Amino acid sequence: MTSIQSVDSTHDPKLRSWVDSANDTGCDFPIQNLPFGTFLRQPRPDRRVLPAIGVAIGDSILDLRMARLIDTDDMNELIAATPEERVALRRAISEGLAEGSDKQAAWQGALVRQDAVTMQLPCRIGDYTDFYTGIHHATTVGKLFRPDQPLMPNYKWVPIGYHGRASSIGVSGQRFKRPQGQTKAPDAAEPGFGPSKRLDYELELGFVIGRGNVLGEPIAIGEAESHLFGVTLLNDWSARDIQAWEYQPLGPFLAKNFASTLSPWIVTMEALAPFRAAFERAAGEPQPLPYLDGAANREAGALDITLEVWLQTEKMRADGQPAVRLSRGNSAQAAYWTAAQLVAHHTVNGCNLQPGDLLGSGTLSGPKPDEAGSLLELTLGGKNPISLPNGERRTFLEDGDTLSLRGFCERAGAVRIGLGEVSGTVVG
Ligand code: MN
């Protein structure tokens, strides 16, 4: 295995930071995490405000250029680093932020509070590919769309994906208009046109590509993780009524490309090293073809991340009520393919990936009904509305709804780390 998957001194559970808030129990950003993001300071009349690269630590951000750790403000340049450079940078950040470090005095001035900045998309996303690795999602949704054939015959052989659209990807806090489009009820003779009535979310992980590959040169599965910079939370908003009418034969189009929302912090593959899980196929399931198989992938290809969905309606917000959790699941139980398999498959024909490309995991629903990563599943295609604590009901999203995804990793012998949150709001 390459060094980015190794547990080292930066994961030591005893490690504490001189940034006090990073030592709080349950904090998403302890010193063992160190996720990367791009932020803007509040504008000041005397100064131009440019984006800067930082690492989250507790409730604050370390400005990496001000700490003299990097000399770029371009995340796409930074994430194209070699695994050795990445590991060295992580170690330098960890040592400097650790309790007792002689960097404390110098770095104090490079700290900025997270609530005093505006987060941007972490990097420029050149291309976005959305996969379909959630087998429980694929099966449940497949039953709704095609009762006779829920899973297509290729599902267990090919990591299914489609080319998405990068221009409409926004950072957490995104507000977007309810999409309009063509829809057709099964019993209607002709389609109609209007606002989507079945607007949904999809709980996904977003894998951010670091180093790219040259056109024509595939990335072997054993090398795949050295091309992955890290993981974000991704909400792939979906208009189910538009999707149902348009998706055959070429897949989703306008049902998906009106908005997708990404969390601001990229949790690196290095940070995730203590939270890996074996990739296994149950007896009787097809084994992956050789280009999708490898010892490291079998041993620890999966990611053990707890994923949650939270909803706050406009009424809840007006009444001062907090968001309510709709579901909780785990990425390792949901995904039929690993991130390394997605990279190997994407490039096996010679397709070139570039720094900042985004690969969506597909909706990560667990095997149980309350682990579903979309309303389509939670409400059984809109037939079973869910009741909220204040008496409101939902089949699909309504105007003013704010939907948030959260993720975190917890394991005995390791300090809990979080992926933070991605939220977005539907406006009419
Ligand atoms: Mn999706």
Side-chain angles (χ1 to χ4, degrees):
M1 289 216 266
T2 52
S3 49
I4 56 167
Q5 293 168 323
S6 305
V7 175
D8 61 25
S9 60
T10 66
H11 305 96
D12 184 347
K14 293 195 290 295
L15 210 54
R16 291 168 60 86
S17 175
W18 50 262
V19 180
D20 286 336
S21 58
N23 305 319
D24 292 348
T25 310
C27 164
D28 270 354
F29 309 122
I31 191 169
Q32 289 81 1
N33 192 349
L34 307 175
F36 287 70
T38 299
F39 66 96
L40 274 179
R41 288 186 167 74
Q42 301 300 358
R44 275 172 35 178
D46 59 333
R47 192 160 51 162
R48 267 177 77 208
V49 177
L50 297 171
I53 298 175
V55 156
I57 179 76
D59 62 5
S60 297
I61 300 171
L62 179 72
D63 183 322
L64 295 187
R65 189 201 271 275
M66 284 183 69
R68 299 184 185 277
L69 286 161
I70 59 173
D71 58 3
T72 179
D73 299 311
D74 184 346
M75 186 76 88
N76 293 64
E77 192 183 310
L78 182 70
I79 66 181
T82 64
E84 293 72 26
E85 290 167 333
R86 285 165 48 173
V87 168
L89 178 59
R90 173 176 169 86
R91 183 152 299 163
I93 298 168
S94 173
E95 286 172 3
L97 286 172
E99 232 168 36
S101 165
D102 59 6
K103 291 283 196 304
Q104 180 173 352
W107 285 11
Q108 204 74 253
L111 274 191
V112 54
R113 285 182 56 95
Q114 284 173 33
D115 58 13
V117 304
T118 305
M119 296 307 297
Q120 301 200 306
L121 277 175
C123 59
R124 289 186 312 282
I125 300 165
D127 275 303
Y128 160 47
T129 303
D130 199 22
F131 284 91
Y132 201 46
T133 71
I135 190 168
H136 307 291
H137 170 78
T139 306
T140 307
V141 171
K143 268 184 205 151
L144 295 169
F145 282 56
R146 295 175 307 274
D148 48 326
Q149 191 180 39
L151 277 188
M152 301 299 272
N154 56 3
Y155 186 86
K156 293 182 175 181
W157 296 95
V158 181
I160 300 295
Y162 68 95
H163 289 298
R165 181 139 188 104
S167 67
S168 50
I169 299 176
V171 73
S172 183
Q174 187 176 26
R175 295 167 64 83
F176 63 92
K177 283 190 183 168
R178 176 177 296 274
Q180 301 194 86
Q182 283 196 32
T183 60
K184 191 182 94 58
D187 52 353
E190 290 180 357
F193 180 85
S196 168
K197 296 189 184 70
R198 292 163 70 90
L199 184 61
D200 201 355
Y201 58 86
E202 290 192 337
L203 165 66
E204 303 197 19
L205 290 175
F207 304 113
V208 179
I209 298 298
R211 277 190 308 154
N213 61 305
V214 174
L215 182 64
E217 295 184 8
I219 298 171
I221 188 158
E223 289 299 311
E225 291 215 0
S226 70
H227 291 262
L228 279 169
F229 185 70
V231 178
T232 60
L233 295 163
L234 169 66
N235 186 343
D236 179 27
W237 307 96
S238 299
R240 302 301 182 190
D241 41 3
I242 297 173
Q243 184 180 357
W245 172 230
E246 76 172 4
Y247 89 106
Q248 286 180 321
L250 288 185
F253 181 34
L254 300 181
K256 304 270 192 178
N257 67 7
F258 54 91
S260 316
T261 316
L262 202 66
S263 58
W265 295 108
I266 308 175
V267 173
T268 62
M269 299 312 288
E270 292 89 320
L272 291 165
F275 308 103
R276 306 304 299 252
F279 165 80
E280 288 163 334
R281 284 278 161 80
E285 294 286 299
Q287 294 304 310
L289 291 180
Y291 79 96
L292 296 173
D293 190 19
N297 191 61
R298 262 176 272 144
E299 196 180 308
L303 293 165
D304 184 2
I305 303 175
T306 300
L307 296 166
E308 297 179 343
V309 178
W310 295 74
L311 173 69
Q312 188 185 45
T313 67
E314 193 165 35
K315 183 173 188 322
M316 289 162 71
R317 200 157 44 245
D319 295 345
Q321 291 167 347
V324 58
R325 195 174 75 204
L326 298 185
S327 70
R328 171 187 270 187
N330 178 282
S331 57
Q333 286 166 17
Y336 197 75
W337 302 100
T338 66
Q341 287 171 322
L342 303 187
V343 170
H345 183 69
H346 205 309
T347 62
V348 74
N349 65 346
C351 175
N352 53 328
L353 297 176
Q354 296 183 296
D357 281 358
L358 180 69
L359 310 185
S361 62
T363 309
L364 294 173
S365 302
K368 302 197 194 107
D370 63 351
E371 295 170 340
S374 71
L375 280 172
L376 185 66
E377 295 158 88
L378 283 177
T379 69
L380 299 175
K383 288 197 283 287
N384 257 3
I386 51 175
S387 296
L388 304 176
N390 69 352
E392 287 185 282
R393 281 148 67 94
R394 283 293 179 275
T395 47
F396 290 97
L397 295 171
E398 303 206 355
D399 293 348
D401 284 355
T402 296
L403 200 288
S404 304
L405 312 178
R406 298 179 192 165
F408 58 89
C409 304
E410 268 177 344
R411 246 189 208 181
V415 170
R416 174 197 187 279
I417 64 169
L419 277 72
E421 181 178 280
V422 58
S423 74
T425 303
V426 189
V427 297

